[in-house]
Amino acid sequence: MYGRDPWGGPLEINAADSTTDDDRSRNLQDLDRSTLPRPLDETQQSWLLGPTEHKKKKYVDLGCVLLSRKIFLWSLGTILLTASLAGFVTLIVKTLPRHHFKQPPPDTCTIALHKALNFFNAQQSGKLPMHNHVPWRGDSCLEDGNFPGSSYKDLVGGYYDAGDAIKFNFPMSFAMTMLSWSVIEYSAKYEAAGELNHVKQLIKWGTDYFLKTFNSSADTIYQMVTQVGSGNTDGPSVVPNDHYCWMRPEDIDYRRPVSICYSSCSDLAAEMAAALASASIVFKDDKVYSRKLIHGAKTLHEFAKSSKGRYSPNSQESSKFYNSTMYWDELIWGGAWMYFATGNVTYLDRVTSHALAKNAGAFSGGPYYGVFSWDNKLAGAQVLLSRLRLFLSPGYPYEDMLSNFHNQTNIVMCSFLPYFNKFNRTKGGLIQLNHGDPQPLQYVVNAAFLAALYSDYLDAADTPGWYCGPNFYSTDVLRDFSRSQIDYILGKNPRKMSYVVGFGERYPKHVHHRGASIPKNKKKQSCKGGWKWRESKKQNPNTIEGAMVAGPDKHDGFHDVRTNYNYTEPTLAGNAGLVAALVALSRPKSFGTIDKNTIFSAVPPLFPATPPPPAPWTP
């Protein structure tokens, strides 16, 4: 018997099957149980359902942020690509040969500046500081002022003036003013050269000493010290003093007299006021010390006004060494610094007085007009007050006198140029500001400083130059003049000799200097015992590095002879001008010029007064 196979084939049924109905019934029940539903594994499901469609997620869950999947993939790819490139570049850089780029060497003026500042270390008197670093120097003159009848028991410190051991306050205070002025204008250059702290220490060594030479705590004084030590060699006297004796300062055992000015001290008092006032700007961040300097400067300036006269009359020993020709220039110079240090317009009123300027010779000219030195401060004061007009322009009632000072400054700068015949020059190119007299370099470096500084003033004021009559000259002409004079001093001269000791390969070896000419040993030289070192033809056993000697003669000649001070003696005032000129010329012009604002720190805003109405018209 055949039945129909539901799956498409015949199904044979055996009739002779002996299975009973009951058995078939049980079998069907078993089949029914086998048809009960049970879970299928994944393979079985795939057989029945076919492949499953998976929807791509549009977002990526980062936990705290739900980010678009596309943005996530782009970001991840960018990071991986950047990391690969960075690694590739790093690999290339590491495998390439390395080139070490050195800092450019310091310029000539910066090298000379390091040495020039060391001269002041060699001139320090008293108990030397730890940072003196001059191996052949030691503590000296620790009893200055300490003797019976002395009004000033402690005059230890300060600086020896030159090759001797005298402390002259007049040139010393000018030297400190020059150093302070250069720091105020060029502090960034000093800092770049690594010399800012050094030069400030040198200034403070001088101002600390000045505060001992008068009653700096008083508001009014009636006397002040002018010098410590004596240099009188007139007559047959053999009394030991700082010129008669040739001995190291460390060996001095004789009493050093103290010279005092009681009434006519206008020039000295005003110059010392300038030194303290300018230093107060240098140390303006040390408010206690700065105020102390300002108070002392005020006291000195009042003394200068009340005691009209020169500190060096013919009867004084100072007239033989540092004779002051007048005091009006110091009153302008000191008053200008007092104004910058205090901002008190009373000082500005005084220095812009037409009568004071006339007495100082501001309009008279003459063969030495424009020569800036320890004796004549007029040219420096005019440059300083021209600065005030260029950058603050206070207007009425000061404009008239300030414009006169400015015009006179322009005339002085014209006189420095080789196109005019105001001053002669040697064949080697050195300007003869003292008209062929000995010791010319101290005047040359001051002129070089003023020219470079005024050039920087004009540049900072966006002024390309100035007029000399109908001719216009650029500021570069002034710098060229300044550079040519300093180059001459550093060795670009007919003798191919540097006049700064220790700079270059050839420089003076027989410097007129007691401490440098006598060996440092345990043997103490007596007053006359050191004469053998003065007369010796051998070179100095100690190198007084940075000392600028007096200089050549008007024919570019020079004699390296210890006994001829007109050629070989360095001075404190001359070397201060050298330092100022060197820092002004150091570094390229692109490095920067002057600090326009620091000098005006104490000056309040100026509001020009209303000019008086014109006189009524009359027919």
Side-chain angles (χ1 to χ4, degrees):
M1 182 175 181
Y2 292 91
R4 189 156 189 85
D5 188 349
W7 304 104
L11 179 61
E12 181 179 8
I13 301 174
N14 191 356
D17 191 358
S18 60
T19 305
T20 64
D21 292 337
D22 291 334
D23 291 333
R24 283 196 296 274
S25 177
R26 281 194 297 271
N27 290 336
L28 288 172
Q29 289 177 1
D30 292 336
L31 289 172
D32 291 339
R33 280 196 298 270
S34 68
T35 59
L36 293 174
R38 69 175 182 271
L40 302 177
D41 58 33
E42 290 181 359
T43 304
Q44 291 171 331
Q45 289 179 7
S46 65
W47 291 344
L48 296 174
L49 303 176
T52 306
E53 271 186 48
H54 295 285
K55 284 189 175 181
K56 292 185 179 180
K57 295 182 179 180
K58 294 184 178 180
Y59 300 96
V60 177
D61 190 357
L62 297 179
C64 59
V65 178
L66 194 63
L67 191 65
S68 169
R69 182 181 182 84
K70 184 181 290 186
I71 294 175
F72 174 76
L73 292 176
W74 271 104
S75 301
L76 183 62
T78 302
I79 293 171
L80 292 174
L81 180 61
T82 304
S84 301
L85 288 173
F88 182 68
V89 171
T90 303
L91 182 64
I92 292 176
V93 170
K94 287 188 175 182
T95 55
L96 287 175
R98 296 185 179 182
H99 299 282
H100 298 282
F101 296 98
K102 295 182 179 180
Q103 290 286 340
D107 59 282
T108 301
C109 287
T110 300
I111 296 172
L113 176 66
H114 294 309
K115 297 181 181 296
L117 286 169
N118 287 335
F119 170 75
F120 290 86
N121 292 56
Q123 296 299 102
Q124 287 181 319
S125 175
K127 186 172 180 58
L128 298 185
M130 294 294 293
H131 46 73
N132 178 266
H133 301 313
V134 180
W136 46 272
R137 282 300 322 278
D139 299 343
S140 61
C141 297
L142 300 179
E143 295 298 318
D144 278 355
N146 187 20
F147 55 84
S150 174
S151 303
Y152 301 88
K153 295 298 184 182
D154 179 12
L155 292 175
V156 178
Y159 290 94
Y160 301 126
D161 175 65
D164 49 38
I166 304 176
K167 296 188 291 194
F168 291 107
N169 281 19
F170 194 46
M172 190 197 306
S173 53
F174 173 73
M176 294 301 105
T177 308
M178 289 292 286
L179 290 184
S180 292
W181 193 5
S182 69
V183 171
I184 293 167
E185 303 286 9
Y186 298 109
S187 60
K189 288 188 175 185
Y190 272 114
E191 191 164 16
E195 293 286 3
L196 182 58
N197 288 334
H198 184 193
V199 71
K200 290 174 73 173
Q201 289 166 357
L202 296 176
I203 294 168
K204 191 173 187 297
W205 190 264
T207 53
D208 283 349
Y209 169 73
F210 291 148
L211 293 173
K212 297 179 178 182
T213 62
F214 69 102
N215 188 356
S216 59
S217 61
D219 295 330
T220 304
I221 59 174
Y222 303 97
Q223 64 179 25
M224 63 186 300
V225 174
T226 63
Q227 74 182 60
V228 176
S230 174
N232 186 14
T233 57
D234 294 342
S237 174
V238 292
V239 176
N241 67 44
D242 299 293
H243 272 186
Y244 179 78
C245 299
W246 193 272
M247 58 196 303
R248 299 175 68 242
E250 292 81 359
D251 295 338
I252 290 176
D253 54 5
Y254 52 82
R255 180 185 295 178
R256 287 153 54 85
V258 176
S259 301
I260 297 176
C261 179
Y262 293 97
S263 56
S264 301
C265 314
S266 297
D267 36 21
L268 175 59
E271 180 56 67
M272 282 184 59
L276 297 185
S278 57
S280 74
I281 302 174
V282 172
F283 296 104
K284 66 183 181 65
D285 292 334
D286 185 348
K287 294 183 179 179
V288 174
Y289 189 62
S290 183
R291 283 197 295 266
K292 188 175 183 180
L293 293 174
I294 290 175
H295 183 271
K298 289 178 179 178
T299 301
L300 286 168
H301 197 266
E302 289 304 310
F303 185 44
K305 287 196 310 165
S306 62
S307 59
K308 295 289 177 61
R310 297 184 301 116
Y311 92 103
S312 57
N314 294 334
S315 60
Q316 293 291 325
E317 185 181 289
S318 54
S319 65
K320 299 178 177 63
F321 300 102
Y322 287 100
N323 183 46
S324 176
T325 53
M326 68 169 67
Y327 57 84
W328 304 103
D329 54 312
E330 276 85 16
L331 290 177
I332 298 178
W333 171 250
W337 280 114
M338 290 301 300
Y339 173 64
F340 289 130
T342 65
N344 188 337
V345 294
T346 302
Y347 296 110
L348 185 58
D349 293 335
R350 292 173 185 168
V351 300
T352 53
S353 162
H354 190 276
L356 181 59
K358 183 178 179 180
N359 288 333
F363 315 114
S364 59
Y368 290 94
Y369 186 77
V371 180
F372 184 41
S373 71
W374 54 264
D375 179 30
N376 194 336
K377 317 305 187 322
L378 180 62
Q382 289 174 332
V383 171
L384 195 60
L385 291 168
S386 297
R387 186 195 214 284
L388 177 64
R389 182 173 187 257
L390 281 168
F391 298 118
L392 289 191
S393 187
Y396 181 85
Y398 311 110
E399 171 60 22
D400 181 58
M401 200 64 241
L402 290 179
S403 65
N404 276 317
F405 286 140
H406 194 176
N407 291 335
Q408 293 300 314
T409 294
N410 288 337
I411 292 172
V412 170
M413 296 301 153
C414 296
S415 71
F416 292 158
L417 303 184
Y419 317 113
F420 304 97
N421 298 321
K422 171 72 175 181
F423 300 104
N424 293 328
R425 280 171 168 73
T426 67
K427 289 184 178 179
L430 185 69
I431 190 170
Q432 296 289 284
L433 294 166
N434 61 339
H435 301 286
D437 288 343
Q439 307 175 28
L441 295 188
Q442 59 179 316
Y443 308 102
V444 173
V445 291
N446 289 341
F449 170 62
L450 291 186
L453 180 63
Y454 189 60
S455 171
D456 287 341
Y457 284 173
L458 294 178
D459 286 340
D462 296 323
T463 305
W466 84 111
Y467 280 95
C468 294
N471 302 315
F472 184 83
Y473 294 97
S474 73
T475 57
D476 290 335
V477 174
L478 277 179
R479 293 189 73 83
D480 290 343
F481 159 75
S482 182
R483 175 73 65 176
S484 70
Q485 300 306 299
I486 295 301
D487 284 347
Y488 182 104
I489 293 170
L490 296 181
K492 196 174 181 180
N493 54 62
R495 297 184 62 85
K496 302 293 188 289
M497 169 178 275
S498 165
Y499 294 109
V500 176
V501 177
F503 183 87
E505 296 180 358
R506 189 171 180 229
Y507 50 83
K509 303 293 177 62
H510 302 80
V511 181
H512 182 94
H513 192 276
R514 287 158 174 76
S517 65
I518 303 175
K520 179 184 179 181
N521 50 39
K522 294 182 180 179
K523 185 178 179 180
K524 179 179 178 179
Q525 299 292 340
S526 64
C527 175
K528 295 178 64 174
W531 287 7
K532 64 180 179 180
W533 298 107
R534 182 186 64 189
E535 307 297 330
S536 172
K537 304 300 181 183
K538 296 180 180 179
Q539 68 181 44
N540 288 353
N542 306 312
T543 301
I544 182 165
E545 186 180 69
M548 182 186 73
V549 296
D553 57 31
K554 60 184 177 181
H555 303 294
D556 296 309
F558 181 79
H559 300 287
D560 190 7
V561 179
R562 188 177 300 111
T563 53
N564 196 332
Y565 60 86
N566 279 330
Y567 288 105
T568 59
E569 185 172 24
T571 64
L572 204 67
N575 277 257
L578 173 66
V579 168
L582 288 173
V583 73
L585 293 172
S586 67
R587 303 276 170 172
K589 191 174 179 181
S590 58
F591 179 80
T593 55
I594 58 162
D595 180 345
K596 290 173 62 175
N597 301 317
T598 295
I599 198 171
F600 301 129
S601 298
V603 176
L606 291 172
F607 302 100
T610 303
W617 182 84
T618 56

